[in-house]
Every structure is written in C-alpha cells, then in structure tokens.
Amino acid sequence: MNSKFLTLSALAIGLLVSSETIAQDTPASIAVPKVFSPASSFSTWSFGINAGVLAPTVIAGKNDFTSWKADLGYGAYIKKQIWPAFGIQANFLGGKLKADNSRALGNGSAPVSPFTNYETLVKYSGSLNAYWSLANIYWMNRTNVVQPYLTAGYGLMGYDVDLTSKSGTTRFNTETVHESFIPVGAGLKFGISNNLMLDLGYQMNFVDGDNLDGYRAGPQSDKFSYTHVGLEFALGGKSKPQLSSYNPVAALEADYISRNAALQAELAAERARNAAQMAQMSTDWARFKTDSDGDGVSDFFDKCPNTPTGTQVDGAGCEIKVTNTTINPVRVVVTEEDRRVVAEAIKNLEFDFGKATIRSTSYASLNRVADLLKSKDFSLKLAGHTDDVGSAAANLKLSKDRAESVKSYLVSQGANPSRIEATGYGESQPISSNKTASGRQNNRRVEFTLY
C-alpha cells in the first residue's frame, strides 16, 4: 500500500468513528409507523455524497498492468425508495485510475507491455442502479440501524487515458472515450439519526471494452473498483423515518406492545371499578339485612329510621297517621241551571271536519262548563259518538279523540282532571238514522253527563 491509500483509509476510519460518536452523543429515536401506514408517513427521497479509494482492479479478474495504485475517488447519488427493501438510485462518480508494471508476472517473468504506467481521468460516470436492502437490524437501544445492501445497474462513462513508455507520455485517444459499464456493489449503512445514515460501500465496475487503461493485452474487458465512505441525507420532514429503514417486524412488535399496555391499563381500571362495586354491594347487603328500629322495614328501604317500637308504619318505614276515620257522604245536586249550561255547551260544540280540533266558537260555552266544575266540584262524563260514514275503527278513534279533546280543554281552564271521564263509542250508539244528512249530524256529538 502506498501512502495515499493509507491516508484515504485513515480518513474513512476517522469519518466512521466520528459518525458513531455523533450517534452516541445525540441519539435519535427512529419513529416506527404502524404496519400498512401510507407512503406519506415515510421519507422516500434521499441523496448521498461519498469519497474513497478508486482503483483499477476488482476482487476477481485480471488486469493489463501488474501493480495498481490507489487514488482518490468521489461520488454522489440520489435515491427514490419504492418499497422498504427496494429502490432506484442514480449515481455519479469521478476520479483517477493509476497502475504500472513495476511488479513481475505471476510466473516471475517481466511484463511484456511496451508501457510502464498509465493514468486515466474519469471525467464523468453516471449510472442507474437497482438498490436492495437485505435487512433492517435494530440494536438493543433501537436508535441505530444497520442496513446491508446490494446494488446493480447500467451506466455510461467518459474518460481520458495518458500512457507512459520509455519514450515519454502520450494520449491514448485524441478525444474523450465514451463507453458503457455495469456497476455491481455491496455495503452497509448505519443509522445516525432519523434523516442521516453513514454509508460504507464497495462497487465493482465492468467496462464494456478494453480501453480504460489504453492497452489491450488480450480479449478481456477492463474493470475498476470504488471503496467509499459517505453520508446519506433523507429529504422530507425530520419526524418521518426513511422507508429503507422501515422494519415491519419491529412495527408489529411496537403495535403489539402499545395495544398490550392499553389493554393492561383497561383491565386495571375495570378491576378497580369491580372492587368499588363489590364494596358498595357489601355495604348495601349489610343494610338490607339489618332492621335497626325493628319496624319490619330493613334499613336499606327505611325512609324514617328510629321509629318507636310498636309504631304502625308503611312500606317506607314511616308512621301511618290516621286523622279522621269518619266518612261524611257529600250529596251532589245538579240544578236546572247547571243542565242548561251543559246543554248550551253541547249545542255549541263544533269540531274541524274529520278531526278532534275544537273550533274557537265553542270556547265560551265550554268555559262556563269549566267554571261550573270548579265551583261545585261536579264530576263529568264525556261520551263521544259519530255517524257510520267511514270504518268502524276510524270512527271509534275519532269519537275517543274528540271526547279527550274536550276534557283537555276543560282541564286547561282549571277543571280537576280526576273528575272528568272521556269515552268514545264510535258509531255504535246512534240517536237518529244515518240515512239522512240531518240524522248523521245528530249522531256526530259529544254528550255531557254531570253527576
């Protein structure tokens, strides 16, 4: 390893340590939305920046120069997360690739290449990659997340190659070389906060051609790698977790814990209510069984406790007081004038057609009947009758409603409701023939009986 590679390695390790320190000093709780939460509950867009070691070699395969050199690479990307385990990522990569023939071949012989070394400037490298999250592993404190991932895609790149031989340095091609390549990568991401992740990754890039080092030693394609450390920033509200960090199993567990806690609290409250009810029932039962004053009514129902022994009481435990046992019969006398008042009320009584509504022309005579009931304490029977037009059931209801309507009016004028009886007979008691209009008129009536 040369000094530049060691410097880059130390830089990566320092960034990792500092990021972990930030995560420990300011832990951020990753929100866990409920299962089946809408996409609006998550941050689905993010962008990343990174830097690391760019080298013209991969972990498997041959190269046209025997000794590769590490150099600085830098990159950025923007990612759209489709599902928790899958997203689409657009990558940009730049830097330099260097190698020479300072080492012998595998069989110990010297390289046969006419060039001693080369330097390739990657002017641009853009690719569209599929991104797979392999797992979301929550640590014990559940504030950090470790996320292994894989990427693969397709891209285009442009580069210039300078070749050095014993005679000097020449440009491989007068114009920038443009070729396609296939990037394949893997890595780990560490959650620092709800919207920040530390990214450690390794990417192999397989170029569709043998021009990357400016020398064609055989029928093979050139390749290079990029080992990087970087940061990924979520775009969106700080309270929203990244969809790529969402763990449905953890969400189910959190929902279960929340529901279980609510159920336990509800059960505890129900036990407290039951205990209070049982205590009250025990107190009530003791009162139900006890008759402190011996009056035959338990304390639970006794409205008049501590009545003297031998006192006659009612069902509420209160003393029965009899003030007068002599019944003085009251004779009710109905005079001719009383009958005239009633007859006038019957004559003037009118209802709306087919209804139980009393017309206002009837109020004056009914008021005199109400005054009579109040002044002489009479009882009154109201009997409603109809003609035979319509069904018997409808006529019976109408006669009853009209008698009740007269009663309601008299009560509204101060008459004692307990002294008024309202009954309907329908068409069952005609006083004239229903075959004539005058006969039907006579049959539609309310009879007043004083007593």
Side-chain angles (χ1 to χ4, degrees):
M1 299 289 179
N2 58 20
S3 59
K4 185 177 293 186
F5 178 74
L6 292 175
T7 302
L8 290 171
S9 300
L11 177 62
I13 294 173
L15 181 56
L16 174 59
V17 172
S18 62
S19 300
E20 287 298 319
T21 302
I22 294 173
Q24 293 172 2
D25 291 342
T26 58
S29 177
I30 296 178
V32 183
K34 292 185 177 181
V35 180
F36 307 120
S37 294
S40 58
S41 302
F42 303 91
S43 295
T44 58
W45 285 96
S46 61
F47 74 93
I49 55 175
N50 49 65
V53 176
L54 199 62
T57 183
V58 295
I59 56 177
K62 297 180 179 180
N63 297 285
D64 295 332
F65 286 75
T66 60
S67 179
W68 61 272
K69 308 296 181 181
D71 211 307
L72 175 65
Y74 49 89
Y77 62 84
I78 185 168
K79 184 179 69 172
K80 169 65 175 177
Q81 200 70 30
I82 309 299
W83 302 303
F86 179 76
I88 300 296
Q89 182 171 300
N91 283 21
F92 168 80
L93 176 63
K96 289 184 179 181
L97 297 169
K98 296 179 182 180
D100 58 34
N101 283 317
S102 60
R103 296 178 59 185
L105 297 174
N107 57 9
S109 59
V112 296
S113 172
F115 302 105
T116 59
N117 63 282
Y118 79 93
E119 179 179 303
T120 297
L121 173 64
V122 180
K123 301 176 71 174
Y124 73 87
S125 169
S127 63
L128 189 64
N129 302 295
Y131 176 95
W132 291 276
S133 300
L134 302 183
N136 294 318
I137 306 169
Y138 285 81
W139 291 353
M140 286 186 296
N141 60 4
R142 293 181 179 270
T143 58
N144 295 331
V145 60
V146 181
Q147 184 185 115
Y149 66 87
L150 296 175
T151 61
Y154 180 82
L156 296 174
M157 63 184 300
Y159 57 87
D160 292 330
V161 184
D162 291 327
L163 291 166
T164 301
S165 62
K166 294 180 180 180
S167 59
T169 300
T170 60
R171 178 62 57 90
F172 166 70
N173 195 45
T174 57
E175 296 182 356
T176 299
V177 181
H178 304 280
E179 287 183 328
S180 61
F181 71 102
I182 296 175
V184 178
L188 289 174
K189 289 183 179 178
F190 299 85
I192 299 175
S193 67
N194 284 2
N195 59 352
L196 181 62
M197 299 189 79
L198 178 67
D199 180 17
L200 303 178
Y202 176 76
Q203 179 176 298
M204 297 183 295
N205 303 278
F206 299 92
V207 184
D208 186 22
D210 195 19
N211 302 311
L212 189 64
D213 55 11
Y215 177 65
R216 298 175 181 174
Q220 65 180 17
S221 297
D222 288 325
K223 57 196 75 72
F224 66 98
S225 64
Y226 179 49
T227 305
H228 68 268
V229 58
L231 295 173
E232 180 177 314
F233 302 87
L235 300 176
K238 294 182 179 180
S239 61
K240 295 181 179 181
Q242 294 191 58
L243 182 58
S244 63
S245 301
Y246 183 59
N247 189 329
V249 176
L252 283 173
E253 181 191 26
D255 186 58
Y256 168 78
I257 292 173
S258 175
R259 289 174 181 268
N260 184 64
L263 180 60
Q264 292 297 329
E266 184 177 348
L267 287 175
E270 186 64 27
R271 291 191 188 99
R273 286 193 296 268
N274 290 341
Q277 290 176 358
M278 290 299 294
Q280 184 62 43
M281 288 176 62
S282 177
T283 302
D284 292 345
W285 179 246
R287 292 179 58 211
F288 184 79
K289 295 189 298 180
T290 304
D291 180 11
S292 301
D293 54 10
D295 59 0
V297 179
S298 71
D299 290 352
F300 188 80
F301 299 106
D302 199 339
K303 306 299 183 184
C304 301
N306 303 319
T307 54
T309 303
T311 302
Q312 187 176 2
V313 298
D314 57 18
C318 296
E319 180 182 359
I320 299 175
K321 296 180 179 180
V322 180
T323 57
N324 187 7
T325 58
T326 302
I327 299 176
N328 296 320
V330 179
R331 185 178 180 182
V332 178
V333 178
V334 181
T335 67
E336 288 300 323
E337 178 60 23
D338 298 335
R339 291 188 178 93
R340 187 191 66 77
V341 172
V342 171
E344 184 181 0
I346 295 173
K347 180 181 177 181
N348 294 332
L349 183 60
E350 293 183 358
F351 297 92
D352 288 345
F353 180 75
K355 299 181 180 179
T357 305
I358 302 172
R359 292 180 177 175
S360 60
T361 55
S362 304
Y363 291 166
S365 57
L366 287 176
N367 289 344
R368 288 190 285 274
V369 174
D371 293 338
L372 187 63
L373 294 176
K374 291 187 290 182
S375 63
K376 293 193 175 183
D377 203 22
F378 284 145
S379 294
L380 177 64
K381 180 177 180 180
L382 301 170
H385 302 273
T386 66
D387 57 24
D388 64 352
V389 177
S391 66
N395 287 332
L396 180 62
K397 181 178 184 303
L398 179 60
S399 66
K400 173 67 173 175
D401 290 346
R402 285 179 170 178
E404 289 288 350
S405 181
V406 174
K407 177 181 177 180
S408 297
Y409 182 81
L410 293 173
V411 171
S412 72
Q413 299 302 311
N416 187 348
S418 65
R419 292 280 189 174
I420 304 174
E421 176 186 356
T423 307
Y425 295 96
E427 61 188 56
S428 64
Q429 296 182 11
I431 58 174
S432 298
S433 172
N434 282 311
K435 294 182 179 179
T436 64
S438 61
R440 289 191 294 274
Q441 176 66 35
N442 292 334
N443 290 334
R444 296 192 294 269
R445 68 199 188 280
V446 175
E447 295 178 345
F448 292 56
T449 304
L450 284 174
Y451 60 96

